[in-house]
Amino acid sequence: DQARNRRKRYTLPKKGLEVTLPLTITVDGLAKLLDVQNSHLMRKMANIGMDKLASDYLLTNEEAAEIALEYEVVPIIPDSTGPELYPRKFPDDMSVHPLRPPVVTIMGHVDHGKTTLLDTLRNSSITAGEAGGITQHIGAFSVQLKSGQVITFLDTPGHAAFSAMRARGANATDIVVLVVAADDGVMPQTKEAIQHALDADVPIIVAINKCDKHGVDPSRIKEDLLKHGIQTEDLGGDIQAVEISALKGTGVEELSESIVTLAEILDLRAEVDIPAQGTVIESQIERGRGNVASVLIKRGTLKVGDIIVAGTAWCKVRSMSDDRGNSVKEAGPASAVEITGWKEIPQAGDMVLQAENEGQAKGVVDSRIEKRKNKAKLAAVEAMN
């Protein structure tokens, strides 16, 4: 019997045998798991082009699976995906869903008037005189035009935030307003803003600012922009250019109308009767309020009491307030709200998805944390080897 067992130890594993692999395993460990000799296993490794032939070499489970397949066994990699939330698939026909306000980011070179324009737009809203009309900085604000149409402006600090959100897959913006000073022209950050908008495939409207200054020539700016791929309407292109003075408010209404016109062409629609989906704009810890995050809702409707997940943070929505500090009970597509009730602080650019209950939210967060740890472990394995 002992002799038979000893012989059996060095036979090949049974074809079709299921072998469960850990996240990482040494060459020696895999040989024991498959019940084969180290030298035999290393020959198989060499055959498939692996050159790190040492007993203590640490294999990832994918590498171990590749070797195991050479023995015609079935490698099982435990499902480390765990519970997850995914955005809902877009319906085939969006035309049955209501129109939503456009979300606009204002970009441009420093000192070209971005901040002044944002302030002028913020103060132009007819809602400015409403109760609780003290502006709260929540990273976005909505403006209602005389026509009744609404535009949401992202008020995030600069291009870095735009890139960070894009890098995390959060294309929160529908339209970019490119501010160029008539007395200065295309500058390094203007070029950067153009590149960001083109990379993100977001339509552009040009706002030529400081047109109230004596001796400026807006047509020179348009010619300058043409060299950088921005062809305005009066030079045969399809990009609107509006001459404004952010300081005096001249042309700002016309700019808003241009945004609305472009939004109509884009036919921006969103479902309102599905679980909420959005993007974290910014987040911080506030004294007396705890973890707070501003979220731009993209689809669906979020209500107080709902459970949401963003990255490795989850939240039971305790309260929501708008950019005027007014408490709101629900928020629909293209509205930005400041939300309290977060267990951890989410990151700007994190996708926000609604969960069915606390249990699901906790499960998703635990799974995502585990995935991050595993990713770090695998990176460490590569560094060690």
Side-chain angles (χ1 to χ4, degrees), residues 21 38 63 70 76 100 106 147 235 251-252 262-263 314 317 339 345:
L21 300 169
N38 259 5
E63 289 170 327
E70 289 294 302
I76 307 283
R100 63 164 177 82
I106 294 179
S147 61
L235 292 179
V252 172
L262 181 52
W314 71 276
V317 180
I339 297 170
I345 294 191

Side-chain angles (χ1 to χ4, degrees), residues 111-333:
D111 295 335
H112 277 203
K114 278 184 303 186
T115 311
T116 311
L117 178 56
L118 280 165
D119 289 343
T120 305
L121 286 161
R122 195 186 278 112
N123 297 331
S124 73
S125 176
I126 59 165
T127 58
E130 288 182 5
I134 300 163
T135 304
Q136 306 290 317
H137 178 84
I138 67 166
F141 61 91
S142 293
V143 167
Q144 188 171 1
L145 308 182
K146 291 189 182 106
S147 61
Q149 276 150 315
V150 174
I151 304 170
T152 298
F153 289 95
L154 284 183
D155 185 10
T156 50
H159 303 183
F162 187 86
S163 322
M165 287 171 83
R166 257 201 70 231
R168 299 170 91 99
N171 239 353
T173 305
D174 299 309
I175 297 167
V176 163
V177 170
L178 180 68
V179 180
V180 190
D183 62 346
D184 206 6
V186 174
M187 300 299 281
Q189 277 181 294
T190 319
K191 294 176 196 169
E192 190 184 294
I194 291 168
Q195 203 50 55
H196 281 320
L198 295 175
D199 288 348
D201 201 22
V202 176
I204 294 171
I205 294 174
V206 176
I208 302 174
N209 191 25
K210 306 187 185 183
C211 283
D212 54 320
K213 283 199 170 183
H214 181 68
V216 295
D217 181 8
S219 62
R220 184 183 65 82
I221 303 297
K222 293 172 191 175
E223 284 161 17
D224 208 359
L225 285 167
L226 188 57
K227 295 172 196 162
H228 297 91
I230 301 297
Q231 192 173 8
T232 55
E233 287 173 336
D234 45 359
L235 292 179
D238 56 4
I239 292 173
Q240 298 179 82
V242 185
E243 294 173 20
I244 66 163
S245 164
L247 198 60
K248 293 184 177 171
T250 327
V252 172
E253 199 172 322
E254 193 190 334
L255 175 63
S256 299
E257 294 303 335
S258 297
I259 291 168
V260 167
T261 304
L262 181 52
E264 282 169 1
I265 295 165
L266 295 172
D267 194 40
L268 304 166
R269 296 176 183 272
E271 315 96 310
V272 290
D273 53 354
I274 61 166
Q277 180 186 328
T279 303
V280 176
I281 309 168
E282 50 188 50
S283 58
Q284 66 273 341
I285 302 172
E286 281 187 21
R287 231 173 124 181
R289 296 175 77 206
N291 298 332
V292 178
S294 302
V295 171
L296 174 73
I297 306 298
K298 295 180 82 175
R299 302 166 70 192
T301 303
L302 185 67
K303 301 182 180 78
V304 170
D306 283 346
I307 312 287
I308 49 177
V309 174
T312 53
W314 71 276
C315 168
K316 180 170 185 178
V317 180
R318 193 164 65 224
S319 72
M320 292 194 287
S321 52
D322 65 14
D323 57 286
R324 306 225 165 248
N326 300 314
S327 180
V328 292
K329 292 285 175 227
E330 57 179 53

Side-chain angles (χ1 to χ4, degrees), residues 41-56:
L41 188 87
M42 286 188 207
R43 276 203 300 279
K44 290 278 189 193
M45 287 170 68
N47 289 346
I48 56 173
M50 291 185 176
D51 52 2
K52 301 277 177 63
L53 307 176
S55 296
D56 59 352

